[in-house]
């Protein structure tokens, strides 16, 4: 079932699309399909690292993935 415009989820998807963190990759008669961009992955990893640090969890894997995406 397609998400109705104006719902919290549809507004969040719209923001992510406009900011370049998601791209629409396909659509059919029943739904739309999206993919997370590198920009979206970077933001997600930054949020995960922040959360893990605040909760004293290891961040090595996340930081390695972030460095790879950033080309460091």
């Amino acid at each position: 079932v397609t998400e109705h415009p104006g719902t919290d989820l549809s507004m969040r998807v719209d923001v992510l699309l406009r900011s370049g963190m998601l791209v629409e990759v396909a659509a059919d008669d029943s739904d739309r399909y999206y993919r997370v961009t590198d920009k979206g992955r970077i933001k997600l990893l930054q949020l995960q690292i922040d959360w893990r640090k605040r909760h004293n969890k290891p961040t090595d894997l996340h930081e390695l993935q972030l460095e790879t995406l950033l080309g460091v």
Side-chain angles (χ1 to χ4, degrees), residues 12-58:
R12 288 174 188 257
V13 169
D14 288 341
V15 167
L16 293 170
L17 285 167
R18 284 194 309 271
S19 67
M21 293 189 193
L22 281 181
V23 292
E24 185 174 328
V25 294
D28 58 25
D29 60 344
S30 65
D31 219 337
R32 293 175 145 159
Y33 305 93
Y34 304 95
R35 179 181 62 79
V36 178
T37 63
D38 284 347
K39 183 178 179 181
R41 283 188 189 96
I42 289 167
K43 180 65 175 175
L44 176 60
L45 284 166
Q46 290 169 334
L47 291 170
Q48 288 173 328
I49 289 167
D50 180 57
W51 184 91
R52 293 181 74 77
K53 283 183 177 180
R54 284 185 283 118
H55 292 88
N56 298 316
K57 304 281 185 187

Side-chain angles (χ1 to χ4, degrees), residues 38 42 45 61-72:
D38 284 347
I42 289 167
L45 284 166
L61 180 58
H62 294 79
E63 289 177 8
L64 179 61
Q65 290 173 342
L66 181 58
E67 288 175 7
T68 301
L69 280 171
L70 293 174
V72 177

